[in-house]
Amino acid sequence: METPRYIKENFKRKKEVLEVRNKMAGVAEGAVMKNNKKVLLKKYVSGFPQESDLEVVTNETILLKVPQESNAVLVKNLYLSCDPFLRVLMSDLAEPIYIEGFHLGNVIRGFGVSRVLESGHPDFKEGEYVWGITGWEEYSLITDTEKIFKIPFTDVPLSYYTGLLGMAGLTAYIGFNEMCSPKKGEYVFISAASGAVGQLVGQLGKLKGCYVVGTAGSDEKVELLKTKFGFDDAFNYKTEKSLGVAVNRCFPNGIDIYFDNVGGAMLDAALLNMRANGRISACGMISQYNLEEPEGVHFLVKMLTKRLTMKGFNVIDHFSVYPKFLEVVIPYIKNGEITYLEDKADGIENAPAALVGLFTGKNVGKQLVVLADE
C-alpha cells in the first residue's frame, strides 16, 4: 500500500527542519557519530587521589565533524600523559597551572599526542600529528588551538611527545640548561630522578660533564639510574634514616645545582648541602600535593648564608624555546646519547589507575596511557 501523501509531506518537513538545525549548528551531511569513551572527575580530591575519584564512561558519543566557520581541530587521541600536576587540578577551587581546574562530571584534560582528523585551523591539516592539551577521551574537538603543537619529527616514537619531546622534556631543558647554566665539573643533585623529567635532567647533566646523583623510591629505580641513565650515584630515599646524611654521603664537597621535583624534607636536605652560590631549580613539589597541611621548609636561612639562587618556573611560559630544545635533543636521541624509559598502560579503562599510581611510585619511567595505534 502506498504511503499516504500527508505522511510523506510531514516526513519531508521534519527532514528539512533537521537539515536547517544541523546547518545552524555547523553539522554537515555525512558526518559520523562515534562512541567516545572518556574519563570524568567524579569527586573532588582531598589527600591522596583514588581511582574512585575518577569515572570512565563508555556510552558517550561525538560527532566527527568540525563545526562550520570554526577554527577548532578534531583529533583522535593516541597517547595520554600522566603528570603529577593533574592532582592539583582535581581539588575544589584548584589554581590553574597549565589549564583550569577540573569540574565534577566533566572530562579531565592534560597533555597528549593525537592525530588530526579534520581541521578548521590553517596551521593544522588532516593526517598530521600534534601534541599538547587534549581531553582524556578517545576523540577531542580542540578549540584552544594555542595549546597544541605540530609534531615535526615522526622518525622517533610518537609516544616520546608525551614526555621526552613534550612537556616533560622541555621542562627538564628549561629548568636545567636555561635556568641553572650548568658547567663542566659541577655537582648536580636531582630528586624523583627516574621520573619523566628527572631522567632527562640527569642525562643532560652528564652530557655537560657534571657529576650527577639522583634519588628514587625503590632499589630497582636506583639501579636504573646508574645503569641505564648513566648517573654517577643514586640512593633510595625510602630506606635512608636521614636524608641530610644520605645527601652529604653522595656530595661530601656540596651541591652546585639541585633540580627539585619533590619539595619538603628533600629540599631541606639539599639546602643543608648546597655549595656557595649554588642554584636550585624548583620544578615540582610532589611530596606536598596530597597533604592537607603542607610541610614547612626549615633551612631557608641557607639561602642567605650560602648566597643561593632558587627559582620556580612554569614551562608554559617557555614554549617559544621549544624549537631550540628540539635542535639540542633530537640529535642526542638519534645518536643514542639520550635514552628514555616509558611505562605504558593500555586502554582508557586503565587511565585512572595509571594516574593514581604516580603518587605511590608504581610507575617505572614516564607513565602514559595508550589509546590507539599510530
Side-chain angles (χ1 to χ4, degrees):
M1 189 176 84
E2 186 178 358
T3 304
R5 183 177 176 183
Y6 77 91
I7 293 179
K8 289 182 178 179
E9 291 177 348
N10 188 42
F11 177 77
K12 183 180 179 182
R13 283 196 298 270
K14 286 184 177 180
K15 184 179 179 181
E16 289 172 348
V17 170
L18 181 60
E19 287 176 351
V20 170
R21 286 177 177 173
N22 283 346
K23 287 179 180 178
M24 291 176 65
V27 178
E29 286 188 53
V32 177
M33 295 293 293
K34 290 280 287 187
N35 189 59
N36 191 26
K37 298 177 184 177
K38 55 182 64 177
V39 180
L40 309 181
L41 181 65
K42 188 176 181 180
K43 294 185 293 185
Y44 286 120
V45 177
S46 177
F48 277 84
Q50 307 293 324
E51 290 182 49
S52 58
D53 297 324
L54 301 167
E55 179 182 13
V56 179
V57 296
T58 60
N59 59 351
E60 298 275 338
T61 57
I62 184 173
L63 185 72
L64 296 185
K65 194 70 182 173
V66 174
Q68 292 178 6
E69 300 181 3
S70 168
N71 68 346
V73 178
L74 178 69
V75 300
K76 180 180 178 66
N77 294 316
L78 306 177
Y79 302 102
L80 301 177
S81 176
C82 296
D83 297 299
F85 81 88
L86 296 178
R87 162 62 185 85
V88 179
L89 302 177
M90 295 167 70
S91 300
D92 192 11
L93 303 177
E95 292 186 19
I97 302 179
Y98 305 110
I99 50 182
E100 297 295 321
F102 303 142
H103 299 289
L104 294 179
N106 288 0
V107 65
I108 69 171
R109 302 166 66 219
F111 286 93
V113 173
S114 315
R115 185 173 70 249
V116 177
L117 298 181
E118 187 178 9
S119 175
H121 196 289
D123 292 345
F124 303 99
K125 306 298 181 186
E126 179 183 346
E128 291 180 335
Y129 294 98
V130 295
W131 74 273
I133 299 296
T134 189
W136 274 41
E137 54 193 348
E138 293 177 306
Y139 300 91
S140 293
L141 183 66
I142 299 174
T143 55
D144 190 357
T145 53
E146 292 185 354
K147 292 180 180 176
I148 58 172
F149 308 91
K150 191 181 299 185
I151 289 178
F153 300 97
T154 57
D155 54 348
V156 295
L158 286 178
S159 59
Y160 278 10
Y161 288 90
T162 66
L164 176 57
L165 295 175
M167 182 272 289
L170 182 60
T171 297
Y173 178 80
I174 293 296
F176 185 66
N177 283 39
E178 297 284 310
M179 290 176 52
C180 293
S181 302
K183 302 177 184 63
K184 184 178 180 179
E186 289 193 312
Y187 296 91
V188 176
F189 181 43
I190 306 161
S191 54
S194 66
V197 175
Q199 57 178 287
L200 180 56
V201 174
Q203 292 177 86
L204 291 174
K206 292 305 299 176
L207 288 168
K208 288 286 187 178
C210 300
Y211 181 85
V212 178
V213 176
T215 68
S218 73
D219 293 340
E220 176 192 7
K221 293 179 182 180
V222 166
E223 191 63 21
L224 281 171
L225 291 177
K226 294 190 287 187
T227 58
K228 186 175 181 67
F229 302 124
F231 282 54
D232 295 288
D233 203 354
F235 65 86
N236 181 350
Y237 71 90
K238 292 182 179 178
T239 61
E240 297 289 345
K241 293 181 179 180
S242 167
L243 293 178
V245 170
V247 173
N248 182 259
R249 182 180 70 238
C250 295
F251 294 101
N253 297 316
I255 302 165
D256 292 297
I257 297 172
Y258 173 45
F259 196 97
D260 187 18
N261 291 304
V262 172
M266 192 69 75
L267 174 57
D268 262 337
L271 284 167
L272 285 172
N273 288 279
M274 296 297 295
R275 302 178 79 178
N277 300 304
R279 291 91 77 200
I280 299 174
S281 182
C283 174
M285 301 279 169
I286 195 171
S287 71
Q288 307 300 298
Y289 296 158
N290 300 309
L291 301 181
E292 294 185 15
E293 293 292 332
E295 298 171 339
V297 179
H298 300 91
F299 298 111
L300 285 176
V301 67
K302 298 296 182 181
M303 296 287 296
L304 306 177
T305 59
K306 296 187 177 183
R307 286 86 69 199
L308 305 177
T309 300
M310 180 175 179
K311 185 174 182 179
F313 67 102
N314 188 330
V315 71
I316 205 167
D317 299 327
H318 302 273
F319 281 140
S320 61
V321 182
Y322 186 64
K324 179 182 176 182
F325 160 69
L326 290 181
E327 288 179 8
V328 172
V329 174
I330 287 287
Y332 286 139
I333 296 172
K334 292 183 176 180
N335 295 335
E337 296 177 86
I338 282 181
T339 187
Y340 204 65
L341 183 63
E342 297 177 316
D343 193 333
K344 297 179 179 180
D346 290 318
I348 199 165
E349 295 83 0
N350 294 310
L355 177 59
V356 169
L358 287 178
F359 302 98
T360 55
K362 288 185 178 180
N363 61 300
V364 179
K366 167 62 189 174
Q367 182 68 66
L368 61 132
V369 181
V370 181
L371 297 190
D373 296 329
E374 298 173 7

